[in-house]
Amino acid sequence: MGNNIDALTTVFTEFYYWVTIPLMFLIHVGFCMYEVGASRRKNHMHTLLKNSMIIPLVTITFFFFGWWIYWALPNGPGFTGGILWDDAAPNGPTSDIMATNLQDRITGVFWAAFLLFSWTAASIVSGAVIERINSGAFWILAVVIGSGAWIVDAAWGWHYGGWMVQLLGYHDAYASGVIHAIAGGFALGVLVVLGPRLGKFSKEGVPRDILPHNPWMVCVGLFIIYTGFWGFYVACNVPLISPEGIGGQIAGDTWTATTIYLTPTTLGAITFNFLMSLSGGMLAAFMVSKGDAFWTYSGGLAGIITASAGNDLYHPMQAMIIGGIGAAAAYKLHFWVERKFKIDDAVGAVAVHGYAGFIGLVICGFMLWGHPSSPYEGYAAINPLGNTIGAVIMFGVLGFLPGYIVSKILHAFGLLRIPREVELLGLDFSSQQEETRAAREVREAIREEIGT
């Protein structure tokens, strides 16, 4: 480690990222509660296991190739250079640092923080498609976004050397686009092919409400997601770095926390802005939904997501207003798209994550116009055009298109959607029948034993 200061810095950084991991794990506890609460009783176990199996599948694929992609592809499709083979090699599955290694204490926890972002991206898609998607098809889609599409967009727009940062001045400090817009766009692409749940629309095309079986569970799940989001935000920062560690391009001599772009920020800044954007989103959603609990809680999440792109630099009052705008827009857009295009997004994931994330990127480009996107010389400054182009890339190019294309392929092979009769009976029908039969056998055995 060199000297005691280096040792303390290393141990502090290791512990810092490690703490974010169990906090972010709560996001997935929340997603499981949220989805099970939103599904009908005949689909509970399928909904739970569909989401839970993201954990092993995305973890393994992210270890084998997802993490390598982040370090290999910041130059994109040749915009600022080629594949960074030398940078990627230490992050491949057979590298010495991708295992127990006392000479490298950071890679494991940093990898895990990114892995939890991957789970989040896949779980966002999971909620939108409940009650009618084939589990195997969903797991393929989860790997595509969790270990493929989202990590490509992270390499392009969430890497200190990413081509979008260099050429567009793209800024997305806490992942309005990098995770949320792409996941919302991907979910929309899947939904276009998957189609609505049976009974969702009348013959005239009028949408019907399919109410959650347990609204309490849904709202508590969303509250737990808020809690996990603290870890999400903190994991987006580098906790402590010297100007020399960045390359001497930051003015001043003070060691500092930075964003993923290595631009200075503080935990105080994100604490103010997280809470204000959450509050703005909840208030706006409460008003536009006329007090609907589901949309009030979802609006809080939409508020955070909308302001996330610039929450390293916004004033708290800006974060509050931007959060409110995003939550109100997400609510209105969800129902407009549902009516206009007959899209059945069971939990509003496309709106809360996709539309809010897209809007947040565009707003950030205007609000932070002219601010440096990077500590390095020669990078474009933050600007409206760059962030708008970035929003289209995240939501459309890397989100909607892969979701739509892979779903089309799965649909062509008859693998995407469960059979109609299974959907009518419920995805848990066979297991429920087995449970009923087992319970009946136990009751009969008890009667025999007591002689009645």
Side-chain angles (χ1 to χ4, degrees), residues 329-393:
Y331 176 83
K332 295 291 187 181
L333 283 168
H334 170 78
F335 290 104
W336 180 78
V337 170
E338 182 179 78
R339 291 191 302 271
K340 180 74 173 177
F341 300 102
K342 308 300 179 284
I343 298 296
D344 178 16
D345 177 0
V347 296
V350 175
V352 170
H353 298 271
Y355 305 152
F358 188 103
I359 291 165
L361 287 174
V362 175
I363 291 174
C364 177
F366 282 95
M367 297 300 295
L368 303 182
W369 196 345
H371 196 281
S373 65
S374 168
Y376 297 111
E377 293 180 356
Y379 282 39
I382 302 169
N383 65 91
L385 180 61
N387 257 39
T388 301
I389 293 172
V392 172
I393 291 171

Side-chain angles (χ1 to χ4, degrees), residues 220-401:
V220 171
L222 282 163
F223 222 118
I224 292 172
I225 292 171
Y226 293 170
T227 308
F229 241 95
W230 284 103
F232 183 105
Y233 256 54
V234 173
C236 294
N237 280 352
V238 177
L240 188 64
I241 193 167
S242 69
E244 293 77 21
I246 297 170
Q249 298 295 327
I250 288 183
D253 301 320
T254 304
W255 288 49
T256 182
T258 73
T259 66
I260 200 77
Y261 305 116
L262 304 181
T263 54
T265 190
T266 69
L267 291 180
I270 62 175
T271 300
F272 278 128
N273 291 342
F274 180 97
L275 289 170
M276 290 297 278
S277 55
L278 166 66
S279 300
M282 289 188 77
L283 283 170
F286 181 84
M287 289 187 286
V288 297
S289 71
K290 297 180 174 60
D292 181 275
F294 170 78
W295 278 103
T296 299
Y297 279 85
S298 295
L301 195 55
I304 297 167
I305 290 164
T306 308
S308 286
N311 260 351
D312 57 323
L313 294 168
Y314 290 152
H315 187 279
M317 287 187 281
Q318 291 175 317
M320 177 189 69
I321 294 168
I322 291 167
I325 291 169
Y331 176 83
K332 295 291 187 181
L333 283 168
H334 170 78
F335 290 104
W336 180 78
V337 170
E338 182 179 78
R339 291 191 302 271
K340 180 74 173 177
F341 300 102
K342 308 300 179 284
I343 298 296
D344 178 16
D345 177 0
V347 296
V350 175
V352 170
H353 298 271
Y355 305 152
F358 188 103
I359 291 165
L361 287 174
V362 175
I363 291 174
C364 177
F366 282 95
M367 297 300 295
L368 303 182
W369 196 345
H371 196 281
S373 65
S374 168
Y376 297 111
E377 293 180 356
Y379 282 39
I382 302 169
N383 65 91
L385 180 61
N387 257 39
T388 301
I389 293 172
V392 172
I393 291 171
M394 297 301 171
F395 185 91
V397 177
L398 293 176
F400 181 87
L401 283 179

